[in-house]
Amino acid sequence: MHTEVLSEQQQRKLYKRTLWIIITSQIFGGAGLAAGVTVGALLAKDMMESDAIAGLPTALFTLGSALAAFSIGAISHKRGRRIGLATGFFIGTIGALGVIYAAAIDSIVLLFSSLFLYGAGTATNLQARYAGTDLATPTTRGKAISLAMVFTTIGAVTGPNLVAPTGRMADSIGLPTLTGPFILAAVAYGLAGVIIFFLLKPDPLLVARTIETKTQVTTESTEKRPLIYLGAIVMIVTQVIMVAIMTMTPIHMTHHGHSLSAVGLVIGMHIGAMYLPSLVTGALVDKFGRSVMIIASSVTLFLSGVIGTFSPADSLLSITIALTLLGVGWNFGLISGTALIIDGTTLKTRAKVQGTTDVSIAVFGASAGLLSGVFMSMSSFGTLAFVGGVIGFILLPVLYWATNKTRS
């Protein structure tokens, strides 16, 4: 079925085409994921009238993304990236629509269940980065991950900064103001799903497997477990730190008099920092190695925590710098960790391992989102930021262990 792509020239052509399809879908996917990050906690706070559960929305859509990550990985393993990714985006669309309806009828139960489904879009947006690497060579994997992620920046930065205008649009049609970003999310996820379903043909993962079989490539015949474990731990730790601090930032800012537009600006800068560095991060990962970028992630996360700890609560500039560094540290960790997962797996098991890894990332992220509200209500945002920065240093001994295991 895929014999037409076996020549090197045709493989390169398909690789480039696949990247452009993933890039286009990521633009819309980025806009979709920004809604829950920006106003999810505020919406729950308004409906529940409690700060302690403000982290619950993030926990719910992160748990939803965990289930979705497992499902997308399993579907992709059996039927390819196209069906797996399209299914995830469409479920995310249903979740966003559910959030809108839940807020309109003031139903907490429907809100929470819809946020769970909405998480499928987040998981799909992240898993799309793997599709860009299926036809990449070992020396261009970091760059492939970057190209698949970087265009998420357009949607991810635009989304939070559309909080005010989408809110006014929601008001004009009789919906609660904070549902505006979820209207954007429903449209964005739906478009991303349509693009993947109709354009991602032939499927890059299925093609890569066919190429491997027909050319009898055996260079990646065995899994390298230390690399897989290291990649997973790096992504889990960076996700925990990022989710915990990011989730409480809107609450912290509104408590100290910052406007909704200011919250949107800070979260937009943060999400931009999560994805925009991908322009160079992938090339750095390929050139200097995974280990160097893991160290860079650890240091950047620590600096973010320190600045967040000592920033005056009314300083928009300080909180913006802290959240920007948080995004950059997460980016370094995600791309280097993703590259390690790909390095350590074979095409036969890759989709399944990737799905399982993203489940772990999502579960730990959900726990961080849920506990962050409780933690901050018992202490402060500054303490939360400092603890997050310190946790970033866990990456260094793990890196040392994995390096020694790989050499032995």
Side-chain angles (χ1 to χ4, degrees):
M1 180 171 63
H2 302 303
T3 54
E4 74 277 5
V5 299
L6 291 179
S7 74
E8 288 188 12
Q9 182 178 1
Q10 289 171 322
Q11 286 178 41
R12 285 195 298 270
K13 184 177 179 180
L14 178 59
Y15 168 60
K16 291 178 181 178
R17 180 176 179 273
T18 298
L19 277 180
W20 277 111
I21 293 168
I22 295 299
I23 283 168
T24 306
S25 71
Q26 290 292 79
I27 293 174
F28 293 107
L33 70 86
V37 170
T38 309
V39 301
L42 297 176
L43 184 59
K45 176 177 174 288
D46 284 355
M47 293 177 70
M48 295 288 287
E49 298 181 352
S50 171
D51 288 348
I53 54 85
L56 189 56
T58 300
L60 284 169
F61 70 69
T62 308
L63 280 173
S65 74
L67 178 61
F70 178 81
S71 301
I72 293 165
I75 294 171
S76 298
H77 178 72
K78 291 182 179 179
R79 303 192 61 185
R81 302 287 189 192
R82 183 176 71 91
I83 300 300
L85 296 177
T87 300
F89 277 130
F90 290 142
I91 293 174
T93 301
I94 294 170
L97 292 171
V99 170
I100 296 166
Y101 186 60
I105 65 173
D106 198 28
S107 172
I108 294 296
V109 174
L110 181 58
L111 174 70
F112 289 164
S113 58
S114 297
L115 283 168
F116 187 80
L117 293 177
Y118 170 80
T122 305
T124 308
N125 210 66
L126 274 176
Q127 288 230 353
R129 74 193 187 278
Y130 292 123
T133 67
D134 289 329
L135 296 169
T137 63
T139 57
T140 60
R141 284 170 179 162
K143 183 179 179 182
I145 298 165
S146 291
L147 288 173
M149 286 180 60
V150 71
F151 281 85
T152 306
T153 308
I154 297 174
V157 173
T158 302
N161 288 289
L162 291 177
V163 167
T166 57
R168 289 192 293 270
M169 180 187 69
D171 284 336
S172 70
I173 58 177
L175 291 171
T177 303
L178 291 176
T179 62
F182 285 97
I183 296 174
L184 173 65
V187 174
Y189 278 157
L191 288 173
V194 167
I195 290 168
I196 292 292
F197 185 78
F198 288 103
L199 298 182
L200 197 61
K201 301 177 182 178
D203 191 285
L205 180 60
L206 300 182
V207 170
R209 287 176 180 169
T210 301
I211 292 171
E212 184 180 56
T213 300
K214 289 184 176 294
T215 57
Q216 297 181 330
V217 176
T218 58
T219 55
E220 298 180 56
S221 58
T222 58
E223 286 188 350
K224 300 169 185 174
R225 287 285 170 180
L227 296 184
I228 296 174
Y229 294 145
L230 175 60
I233 292 171
V234 167
M235 290 190 284
I236 287 169
V237 170
T238 53
Q239 182 78 357
V240 164
I241 297 168
M242 187 274 293
V243 169
I245 297 174
M246 176 195 66
T247 299
M248 287 299 105
T249 298
I251 306 299
H252 171 67
M253 291 182 68
T254 54
H255 272 178
H256 291 89
H258 293 282
S259 67
L260 198 58
S261 295
V263 173
L265 173 65
V266 170
I267 297 299
M269 292 292 289
H270 165 68
I271 297 178
M274 288 170 63
Y275 292 98
L276 190 58
S278 300
L279 284 166
V280 296
T281 304
L284 293 174
V285 168
D286 287 334
K287 183 174 182 179
F288 296 109
R290 284 55 164 155
S291 297
V292 171
M293 296 310 294
I294 290 171
I295 295 171
S297 174
S298 178
V299 172
T300 306
L301 290 171
F302 178 73
L303 289 174
S304 169
V306 169
I307 294 172
T309 301
F310 297 105
S311 293
D314 60 350
S315 173
L316 183 61
L317 177 61
S318 295
I319 195 67
T320 300
I321 292 172
L323 267 289
T324 299
L325 287 173
L326 181 68
V328 172
W330 177 87
N331 177 272
F332 290 170
L334 184 75
I335 293 182
S336 56
T338 299
L340 284 167
I341 294 292
I342 298 167
D343 292 344
T345 54
T346 67
L347 279 170
K348 195 172 188 179
T349 63
R350 186 161 296 159
K352 187 178 290 186
V353 172
Q354 288 164 345
T356 303
T357 301
D358 278 8
V359 169
S360 301
I361 295 169
V363 168
F364 278 94
S367 301
L370 181 60
L371 295 174
S372 61
V374 177
F375 186 92
M376 195 173 88
S377 68
M378 295 172 61
S379 56
S380 67
F381 179 80
T383 303
L384 177 68
F386 183 75
V387 171
V390 171
I391 290 174
F393 277 122
I394 291 176
L395 299 179
L396 300 181
V398 173
L399 174 61
Y400 179 78
W401 167 83
T403 302
N404 286 341
K405 288 289 288 184
T406 304
R407 288 172 179 169
S408 61

